[in-house]
Amino acid sequence: MDFFQPVMDGFGVVLDPTNLLYCLFGVLIGMLIGVLPGLGPAATIAILLPLTYNVEPVTAIIMLAGIFYGAQYGGTITSVLLRIPGEASSVVTVFDGYVLAKQGKAGTALGIAAIGSFIGGTIAIVGLTFLAPVVAGFALDFGPPEYTALALLGILLVATISGGSKIKALIAAAIGLFLATIGRDVFTGAERFTFGNLSLADGIDFVPIAMGLFGVGEILYNLEERHRAASAPMAVANVWPSRKDLKQASGAIGRGSVLGFFLGILPGGGATISSLASYAVEKKRAKDPSRFGKGAIEGVAGPETANNAAATSSFIPLLTLGIPANATMAIIFGALLIQGVTPGPQLITEEPELFWGVVNSMYIGNILLLIMSIPLVGLFVKILRIRAAILAPITALITMLGAYTIRNSMFDVMLVVLFGALGYLMKKFGFEPGPLVLAFVLGSLLESSLRRSLLVLEGDPTGFLTRPISGTLLVVFVIVAVWPMIKTVVSKRKTANTLLSDTKVEEKV
């Protein structure tokens, strides 16, 4: 009864007409943004943050969550019809989705993706409903040393698990940690790296960083890449998949749901890694792997299911531990803080309406996603014909207005421009902005927890290792840190042994 009553009350929250409207708005915007190549959910949420200032926290987070999981499906449409992933998590959908479209089965691919997204998302929401209270109960035992170890592990996982260069991810994370130190020291009051500028005395606000890196940075980068949108989308017909297609995709959908759920919980995991892992699993399990890349329906069903499941389950570490698992979660974390809500293990007991309202909104949002996805395909195809040269200035103008309305400050607008330029350069030279934002968010938690820990432990750093939870987390930290080096050494030894064996064989011959 103690468990089910708040859950049922959460449905009362989300069925409020205002919350329902924002849920619908979030899902629709998410799908639209997913359709437009370039702007992802992180950028969209960053740009739309100012819209949430004057609404209730639960309403704001319901809308932002809708944008996140709505964008996962929207990205599929361009992957299938244009061979352009609207979202990073839809990259692998291109491999088989576009081939299916060329074979006249674009509708089948989109239909399977919609069904898989619905099933994966729903299974992940059920998992979130039952697992989140368990994780939150476990996290109640966390003190400053545990949060220190968790923040350290989170930053490392984000830098090492996410795609791209690990060195570049670590550099981006280091920049984020540095930015988190700017401003007045909360313990001593001393100013750090402000150079006498009063506007920096309170530190850099999270919103200009997110809007600049993900909003302006993405706009500039995509303008440079706008030639990609020149190709015409493929025709769509026969949207509903056949019974044979459904049977063939059912296993991939089931496996994608489970895989996506667990990978979404991991810091640095998220939708992109989940879709890649799901594609790899399906190809490995297939009796004839050569079908993949030539129109295998499992190559669409698995990844599309996994990325939606991961998008949902990534709310677990955010809402229960206060640790964002990916860049989009970091922005939603910032949105919660702006609303005066601190995510963490106390959230379920102190803000049950918000917690269960947001969780249950995903059930409703997922149904809306399924209902709207197929009938609106024609509209999305028309939207794809809008030129980036028209969309980009409008989006940039909205971003700047949003930045100004944060505190009616031109300084914030200048920060958005500055971080926009940084975001563009990062994208151009292969640096992902995600680790920077996550390290910035976790940097404050890391510093305050570390300093409190040293006070609690009377300056003895070995105290981190003698506490069971923090000790375990630090051991995991070390394993994750040294694992790439171990793999490299083992790989080199294998290569050396192979060469030695070949040489011996040649000598005998």
Side-chain angles (χ1 to χ4, degrees), residues 194-469:
T194 62
F195 306 104
N197 189 329
L198 288 177
S199 299
L200 289 173
D202 291 329
I204 299 177
D205 196 80
F206 170 78
V207 178
I209 293 180
M211 294 178 87
L213 286 177
F214 291 103
V216 176
E218 290 285 342
I219 292 167
L220 293 174
Y221 183 76
N222 289 314
L223 269 178
E224 193 176 75
E225 301 286 314
R226 66 182 184 274
H227 63 276
R228 288 184 182 180
S231 56
M234 305 287 282
V236 180
N238 301 323
V239 174
W240 296 107
S242 66
R243 187 173 293 180
K244 181 187 171 188
D245 291 327
L246 282 172
K247 187 179 177 183
Q248 196 171 348
S250 58
I253 290 173
R255 287 184 289 275
S257 299
V258 176
L259 189 68
F261 177 78
F262 286 106
L263 286 179
I265 297 172
L266 293 177
T272 304
I273 296 291
S274 303
S275 59
L276 289 167
S278 174
Y279 191 84
V281 167
E282 294 310 318
K283 192 172 180 180
K284 197 168 185 178
R285 282 183 54 87
K287 290 180 182 175
D288 180 14
S290 64
R291 289 194 303 109
F292 282 75
K294 298 176 183 173
I297 198 72
E298 304 97 305
V300 175
E304 286 303 316
T305 304
N307 66 26
N308 262 60
T312 302
S313 64
S314 59
F315 277 88
I316 292 177
L318 174 71
L319 296 177
T320 59
L321 299 174
I323 302 290
N326 50 56
T328 309
M329 286 297 109
I331 297 172
I332 294 179
F333 179 90
L336 281 164
L337 294 181
I338 289 168
Q339 294 281 354
V341 177
T342 305
Q346 306 285 352
L347 188 64
I348 294 180
T349 52
E350 292 181 358
E351 303 271 0
E353 289 191 352
L354 184 144
F355 182 86
W356 291 113
V358 170
V359 172
N360 292 345
S361 75
M362 297 180 195
Y363 288 106
I364 307 295
N366 229 22
I367 294 170
L368 293 173
L369 188 66
L370 181 67
I371 293 172
M372 292 192 297
S373 57
I374 294 175
L376 292 181
V377 165
L379 173 66
F380 294 144
V381 171
K382 287 181 182 174
I383 290 171
L384 283 171
R385 300 181 192 280
I386 301 176
R387 288 185 299 164
I390 296 172
L391 283 174
I394 296 171
T395 312
L397 180 63
I398 293 170
T399 307
M400 293 304 171
L401 285 172
Y404 182 75
T405 56
I406 298 170
R407 295 183 295 192
N408 293 335
S409 164
M410 281 305 295
F411 183 73
D412 287 336
V413 177
M414 289 167 61
L415 282 178
V416 170
V417 174
L418 178 67
F419 283 106
L422 178 63
Y424 165 73
L425 291 173
M426 289 180 74
K427 289 278 288 185
K428 192 172 178 64
F429 293 103
F431 289 81
E432 285 298 323
L436 188 156
V437 173
L438 280 158
F440 177 79
V441 169
L442 293 177
S444 303
L445 175 68
L446 176 63
E447 183 186 1
S448 60
S449 300
L450 177 62
R451 293 171 72 172
R452 287 194 179 100
S453 299
L454 291 174
L455 288 173
V456 170
L457 301 173
E458 298 179 343
D460 180 12
T462 60
F464 286 101
L465 295 171
T466 56
R467 294 168 70 101
I469 298 174

Side-chain angles (χ1 to χ4, degrees), residues 9 31 128 277 299 454 502:
D9 291 344
M31 291 172 73
L128 170 62
L454 291 174
D502 292 344

